[in-house]
Amino acid sequence: MQEYKLKRGFKPEMDRIHECLEEAFPSEIKEEDGKFVTSYGVLSKITVWIEGKKLAVDTVADTTLTDDELILDSNKRFRDFLLGATGYTAKERLKQAKKEVSK
């Protein structure tokens, strides 16, 4: 499970997170125990919820799939989802993760 800070102006609201999921992943999104669950490409399960003021994401990858295009598409869509949901680019998220580790 990964937690991501939300940029100022990006409210920790499940409705907004659901919209970001719909934009990034053209697949069915279910709600289970206050968490959104979906799957796409090599990501066999994506679980998303708000924990405190952070976005929590848990993913399960299907390691049996070896199609490079599918892997790249899944990763791009996941990064696009995180950008839309948190407001931070991959580079900014990496910088924050490094800062958290050094604390």
Side-chain angles (χ1 to χ4, degrees), residues 51-97:
E51 193 154 300
K53 291 187 176 183
K54 292 186 175 183
L55 176 72
V57 180
D58 195 19
T59 57
V60 177
D62 184 351
T63 55
T64 61
L65 297 174
T66 57
D67 180 12
D68 288 345
E69 276 189 44
L70 185 62
I71 293 168
L72 291 173
D73 181 51
S74 301
N75 286 336
K76 182 188 181 317
R77 287 177 183 272
F78 185 68
R79 286 192 311 272
D80 289 347
F81 161 70
L82 289 176
L83 175 61
T86 66
Y88 290 111
T89 64
K91 197 179 226 180
E92 292 168 325
R93 290 192 305 273
L94 177 64
K95 192 175 179 181
Q96 288 176 348

Side-chain angles (χ1 to χ4, degrees), residues 11-41:
K11 293 186 170 78
E13 297 171 346
M14 290 301 282
D15 290 341
R16 190 181 65 76
I17 301 302
H18 188 272
E19 287 175 18
C20 292
L21 271 173
E22 282 181 327
E23 287 176 25
F25 303 108
S27 57
E28 183 186 356
I29 301 168
K30 298 178 196 161
E31 187 172 346
E32 298 174 3
D33 302 324
K35 300 176 181 182
F36 293 123
V37 180
T38 190
S39 63
Y40 182 83

